[in-house]
Amino acid sequence: MLSQTLFSYVPQISAIFSFWNLLGLAATLLYFFWWRRPHAKFPPGPRGVPLLGVVPYFGPSPGVDLKKWSVEKYGPVMSARFGRDEVVILNTFDAINQALVKQSASFSDRPWIELFCGLTKHDGLVLMKYGDAFKAQKHFALKFLRDKGIARRQIEDVLNDEGDRFVEFLKTKSSGPVDLKTYFYWLTGNVISQTALGKRHDYGDKDFIELLDVMRMLFTDPRDATNIGLINLFGFLAKFPPFATTMKRFEGRMQFILDKMQDNIDDHKKKFDPNNIDDFIDAFLYERKFGKRTDLDYSDTHLRAFCRDLFVAGSETSSTTLSWLILHLLNYPEYEKIIVKEIDEAFGSEGLPTQSKKEDLPMTCAFIQETMRTKTLAPLAVLHLASNDTQLMGHVIPKGATVIPNLYGANMDPKDWPNPKVFNPRRHIDENGKFVLSNKIIPFSVGARFCLGESLARAELFVFFVKMLQKFRIRPAVDPIPSISEEVISVVVSPVDFKVTLESRN
């Protein structure tokens, strides 16, 4: 009787064992597929947890975490699972230079970046797929910027004129606390507007201010900044709350900017004169009509994305770096006297700042360079894609792998910069008191994808920083002064909001 009863439970017991066996097999297969690597010589690195990868292990600044993992365990070329994607991270200048410069043909493609490609796909030079068409349009853009937009003599005239207008504007605001962070967008936005769109705006122009405010909020909205940074790395998050809400706001702002660029394109098409090419849109329209390369994309959708790239990058990087310069000056006042003395001796109170006199301002140049080293604006740059199987520093990088140049890791590498977290401009001045320009500080990236506006941005930083200190004593409006360790971390690293008082030196 008992044996019959036990025998009746055999099918149920068997089913239970079968369920657990299947579950164990599934877990084993998941573990196997998750932990296997694309190649025996694929760079080492953490795998994280199934489906999410290393997402749960990141703090507010992924570049800092990746550099830490690199130094402590994995080396300059490492890997990590970002969601389900295999990602290779380059954490030193040597690794970045080897990949992006010496092996540029293999590491200059772009993956699908959900944050930016959703609206414009691969339109615009920043997101364009690497190949002959990219090289041709990059050459076209560089030639325009060199010949029309950033020829050294011409751009210094433009920058000094805009700087003088900006100073006069600030004088009307100097009776109380001033938000330089916002006003710097107006300043640098006007420079790129003249270069790309052929027009300058008064500082009270409401439409211009609205455009710049929308642009500024792309990366600094306190509701969305952290989420934007994560979506940039882990595109799949954009489909899930609360990231979906962030993505909707981001795309709404990006669409607003694209629409404004299209309005400018439409105006240019109505007034187009092939004998009067004044700005980038004119030059692009000229190439569309008269250019010899018929295989290139000269569509409006490509042009508006191109203009967006110029406008966002051109105003964001310079304005944010200027804000960091002022905040560093407030936190390290011991350098102000040295810098002001250099400026007074080189230019006096009314002389026009020119880069030809940089040799006479070693501390000024060193202060700017050290700020750019310690505050990498885009710590993880823009994602790259390996276009073929290739070897890199003893590792095999398979075709299709996403590659991240950790610019923060390079700029803060203890091998190149002893005590890298210490702000020390004197490290850029040699024993003869001369400023040493370093090619290992790469805020604008390197290789085929380096920032087209690098020359313009460097000129802006020098001229505008010098002109500000030529005309004003800049003091904190509140006590305590915001710390330089306080950051708004998104795709771009910005200082927190702060205000200053401006005391005229003239």
Side-chain angles (χ1 to χ4, degrees):
M1 186 71 177
L2 179 60
S3 61
Q4 290 179 344
T5 302
L6 290 174
F7 184 77
S8 66
Y9 282 103
V10 168
Q12 292 172 285
I13 295 171
S14 177
I16 292 172
F17 274 108
S18 296
F19 169 77
W20 286 108
N21 286 338
L22 287 173
L23 188 62
L25 178 62
T28 300
L29 289 173
L30 178 62
Y31 181 87
F32 172 76
F33 283 110
W34 185 255
W35 281 92
R36 72 172 182 172
R37 295 177 182 274
H39 192 280
K41 292 186 177 181
F42 192 65
R47 313 303 282 162
V49 299
L51 303 181
L52 293 177
V54 295
V55 177
Y57 301 101
F58 275 142
S61 182
V64 175
D65 296 322
L66 290 168
K67 182 62 177 178
K68 180 182 178 183
W69 299 343
S70 164
V71 171
E72 292 181 351
K73 188 173 183 180
Y74 299 112
V77 180
M78 59 174 284
S79 69
R81 273 278 175 85
F82 282 34
R84 293 173 294 173
D85 297 328
E86 297 287 359
V87 176
V88 175
I89 305 98
L90 314 174
N91 287 291
T92 64
F93 171 81
D94 288 341
I96 293 171
N97 190 61
Q98 181 65 42
L100 304 192
V101 178
K102 295 181 179 180
Q103 296 176 245
S104 180
S106 298
F107 292 102
S108 295
D109 206 358
R110 289 284 194 231
W112 179 273
I113 303 174
E114 188 68 30
L115 190 64
F116 299 104
C117 292
L119 287 178
T120 56
K121 299 182 172 59
H122 286 286
D123 286 329
L125 196 67
V126 171
L127 300 175
M128 194 174 180
K129 298 294 288 181
Y130 185 71
D132 290 341
F134 166 82
K135 294 175 187 177
Q137 292 211 340
K138 179 186 175 185
H139 175 76
F140 157 71
L142 282 172
K143 186 176 186 302
F144 166 79
L145 291 171
R146 183 185 66 244
D147 295 345
K148 297 286 187 180
I150 55 173
R152 179 163 297 186
R153 181 63 251 161
Q154 180 185 352
I155 195 58
E156 286 189 342
D157 290 342
V158 172
L159 295 182
N160 273 293
D161 177 65
E162 193 61 47
D164 287 339
R165 292 171 185 263
F166 186 66
V167 165
E168 291 304 311
F169 167 76
L170 289 181
K171 286 179 180 178
T172 68
K173 304 291 183 180
S174 60
S175 59
V178 177
D179 178 11
L180 285 178
K181 186 178 175 184
T182 295
Y183 294 153
F184 281 149
Y185 273 88
W186 301 6
L187 171 64
T188 59
N190 244 331
V191 173
I192 199 64
S193 181
Q194 292 176 74
T195 303
L197 311 180
K199 62 174 68 173
R200 189 194 172 276
H201 303 266
D202 292 333
Y203 288 121
D205 186 320
K206 292 183 179 179
D207 289 338
F208 185 57
I209 292 172
E210 182 183 20
L211 172 62
L212 293 173
D213 284 347
V214 170
M215 195 174 302
R216 179 169 57 89
M217 292 296 281
L218 273 177
F219 304 119
T220 62
D221 187 335
R223 297 173 298 175
D224 297 329
T226 300
N227 286 355
I228 288 295
L230 289 172
I231 293 171
N232 184 53
L233 297 177
F234 311 103
F236 70 92
L237 293 176
K239 296 178 173 57
F240 303 97
F243 300 97
T245 302
T246 292
M247 189 67 177
K248 185 176 181 180
R249 272 196 291 265
F250 182 87
E251 289 192 333
R253 288 165 178 155
M254 188 63 79
Q255 188 63 57
F256 178 87
I257 295 168
L258 290 167
D259 290 344
K260 289 294 184 182
M261 297 301 107
Q262 186 64 54
D263 290 344
N264 279 279
I265 294 168
D266 293 340
D267 288 342
H268 277 69
K269 286 194 290 187
K270 292 175 185 176
K271 303 171 184 176
F272 178 69
D273 178 359
N275 298 312
N276 188 19
I277 305 300
D278 284 337
D279 54 56
F280 183 78
I281 294 178
D282 279 343
F284 196 95
L285 295 177
Y286 184 92
E287 287 296 313
R288 174 189 294 182
K289 192 166 185 176
F290 302 106
K292 297 179 181 179
R293 288 290 300 269
T294 58
D295 60 323
L296 299 181
D297 185 356
Y298 288 110
S299 65
D300 276 12
T301 54
H302 186 59
L303 175 55
R304 69 173 187 165
F306 217 138
C307 289
R308 172 208 59 189
D309 295 346
L310 290 171
F311 215 94
V312 173
S315 58
E316 175 67 44
T317 54
S318 295
S319 61
T320 302
T321 303
L322 284 168
S323 294
W324 277 123
L325 283 169
I326 298 303
L327 194 55
H328 277 76
L329 204 66
L330 297 178
N331 277 270
Y332 299 98
E334 64 269 26
Y335 294 108
E336 182 183 24
K337 289 183 180 180
I338 303 172
I339 293 171
V340 169
K341 185 174 184 292
E342 289 180 348
I343 293 171
D344 288 348
E345 290 177 353
F347 305 115
S349 61
E350 299 298 329
L352 299 179
T354 61
Q355 296 186 88
S356 62
K357 284 201 169 186
K358 276 188 172 182
E359 286 188 2
D360 298 329
L361 294 90
M363 181 54 75
T364 305
C365 295
F367 191 90
I368 293 172
Q369 182 162 276
E370 182 71 349
T371 298
M372 296 173 78
R373 183 189 72 82
T374 57
K375 292 299 178 182
T376 308
L377 294 196
L380 301 180
V382 182
L383 307 183
H384 288 237
L385 186 75
S387 55
N388 53 268
D389 293 346
T390 188
Q391 293 193 11
L392 177 66
M393 299 177 73
H395 304 287
V396 172
I397 313 299
K399 178 180 179 179
T402 297
V403 178
I404 296 180
N406 187 355
L407 304 187
Y408 168 89
N411 291 339
M412 300 292 283
D413 194 324
K415 291 183 179 179
D416 292 323
W417 311 107
N419 299 315
K421 294 184 179 180
V422 175
F423 182 79
N424 178 21
R426 289 186 172 84
R427 70 171 86 229
H428 308 294
I429 298 176
D430 67 17
E431 62 275 9
N432 297 315
K434 301 294 184 182
F435 167 66
V436 180
L437 178 66
S438 175
N439 69 341
K440 291 191 173 184
I441 298 173
I442 47 175
F444 302 98
S445 195
V446 290
R449 293 285 187 174
F450 79 93
C451 176
L452 293 181
E454 178 176 353
S455 296
L456 175 59
R458 290 186 182 278
E460 283 182 301
L461 294 175
F462 179 79
V463 172
F464 293 151
F465 185 58
V466 168
K467 193 170 285 287
M468 287 285 293
L469 296 181
Q470 193 178 26
K471 300 297 183 180
F472 298 109
R473 295 183 184 88
I474 304 173
R475 301 290 179 260
V478 295
D479 189 30
I481 304 165
S483 168
I484 58 171
S485 64
E486 296 181 66
E487 301 171 330
V488 179
I489 300 173
S490 182
V491 176
V492 175
V493 176
S494 308
V496 297
D497 292 339
F498 66 96
K499 292 185 177 182
V500 301
T501 57
L502 302 173
E503 302 171 6
S504 177
R505 296 188 62 224
N506 300 332

